[in-house]
Amino acid sequence: GGSATKGGRFLTVATITDNDTISVSETLSTDANSGTLTVVVKGSHLRNPGTVADITKQSISAETSFTDVDKHFGHTGLRTGSFEMSVSSGEIVTLGFEFMGRETTTENTTVLGNSGTYTVLDTNATEVFNATENVGTVYADGAALTTAITEITFSGDAALREQRAVGEKFPAGIGYGRFSMTGSIKAYFQDFTLYNKFLNHTTLSLAFNMEDGDHNAYWFTFPALKFVSDPVIPTGIDEDVFEEIEFNAFRDASLQTMFMIDRFSSVYPTSAA
């Protein structure tokens, strides 16, 4: 009643009904299940929620240690203010974060490195992603782009602010602002596919995937964005012409989010779900 060749395909879940019926955005051919075969759906999902009640403010602590002299700086009440990711041809994929914190202290012994109090985690054994071997396909509105892309960068900013108070050496709190998401795409100018989306103020979705040699996969998705600039400027003879597109993401009406990350491990689950 099923096909063994259908496993491992990535599909976008559109709706889930009370009777456990899952509909997807992609068009599927008929592949009947007799009702006795197990269908396994696995993965983890991260997004910025569109409902304020679903947002949980979280703080972390960090420590900068100079182990040769056993001196340490403790940083508490850190909240993530912004992040930036860069995927550029021939380069390692980089991701950077900026934090705003509550307090800095000086310590003569490590606090976070004390295994009796905290669990010290080792570095992940997974591979470092690069834009040559690990980046798959770039999709616009669910269809693979035929235009060659040389660079994708994007950043998110939560517009944090220090909340100062009389009698407080450090901020009394960290305030949140409106989350904004911007990015850029550098593409070879081959046709008017991307440029017409800029001229027509088209709302489109953008997604791309990355996968390492052990088949650990990540999908990065912007459900709704608009191109805000798309200069096409020849720089000189015998040089390639590029579109250096800038975009702004905004909250998708149905998904209620601006940015999503889906993660899929290569380990098959021990029990079906």
Side-chain angles (χ1 to χ4, degrees):
S3 172
T5 64
K6 299 297 183 182
R9 183 178 178 187
F10 291 101
L11 302 169
T12 306
V13 176
T15 59
I16 302 178
T17 60
D18 293 337
N19 61 355
D20 296 329
T21 299
I22 299 176
S23 64
V24 298
S25 301
E26 292 78 9
T27 301
L28 300 178
S29 58
T30 301
D31 185 26
N33 190 326
S34 64
T36 60
L37 299 179
T38 300
V39 176
V40 178
V41 180
K42 67 167 187 169
S44 58
H45 180 76
L46 177 67
R47 69 166 67 182
N48 68 308
T51 303
V52 175
D54 293 337
I55 300 175
T56 302
K57 295 181 179 180
Q58 299 186 43
S59 299
I60 64 172
S61 297
E63 188 175 76
T64 304
S65 298
F66 299 86
T67 55
D68 56 336
V69 292
D70 201 21
K71 294 294 183 269
H72 314 267
F73 291 97
H75 313 284
T76 60
L78 293 173
R79 290 193 170 161
T80 307
S82 64
F83 66 90
E84 183 174 4
M85 187 170 181
S86 176
V87 183
S88 182
S89 59
E91 302 289 342
I92 290 175
V93 177
T94 59
L95 175 62
F97 295 91
E98 290 189 3
F99 298 91
M100 185 174 289
R102 164 81 172 73
E103 184 178 11
T104 297
T105 59
T106 57
E107 305 290 344
N108 289 317
T109 58
T110 179
V111 176
L112 298 184
N114 185 350
S115 60
T117 306
Y118 297 92
T119 300
V120 180
L121 302 177
D122 293 329
T123 302
N124 291 340
T126 52
E127 299 177 12
V128 175
F129 284 107
N130 65 74
T132 302
E133 294 181 323
N134 303 128
V135 178
T137 304
V138 180
Y139 296 84
D141 291 332
L145 279 179
T146 58
T147 305
I149 306 294
T150 67
E151 184 177 303
I152 301 174
T153 61
F154 55 88
S155 60
D157 190 348
L160 299 187
R161 63 185 182 277
E162 292 184 346
Q163 296 174 321
R164 292 285 181 174
V166 174
E168 294 281 353
K169 179 187 298 184
F170 299 102
I174 303 296
Y176 282 89
R178 291 177 295 177
F179 182 76
S180 61
M181 196 86 198
T182 60
S184 63
I185 304 169
K186 187 174 182 180
Y188 287 97
F189 179 58
Q190 299 173 212
D191 53 39
F192 292 125
T193 299
L194 298 178
Y195 197 81
N196 281 335
K197 294 183 184 299
F198 165 66
L199 285 182
N200 298 327
H201 306 287
T202 303
T203 298
L204 69 151
S205 66
L206 190 72
F208 67 94
N209 64 306
M210 295 195 298
E211 184 173 325
D212 65 14
D214 296 322
H215 305 295
N216 298 294
Y218 290 80
W219 281 78
F220 300 85
T221 304
F222 304 91
L225 59 82
K226 286 185 182 291
F227 294 157
V228 296
S229 68
D230 187 0
V232 181
I233 304 173
T235 56
I237 192 170
D238 296 330
E239 294 187 15
D240 293 315
V241 179
F242 293 95
E243 295 181 73
E244 299 190 15
I245 304 167
E246 294 184 354
F247 65 82
N248 286 349
F250 54 93
R251 188 172 64 176
D252 180 75
S254 59
L255 296 175
Q256 295 292 299
T257 187
M258 298 168 65
F259 180 53
M260 307 187 302
I261 304 176
D262 293 280
R263 180 181 63 181
F264 304 91
S265 74
S266 61
V267 180
Y268 195 81
T270 56
S271 60

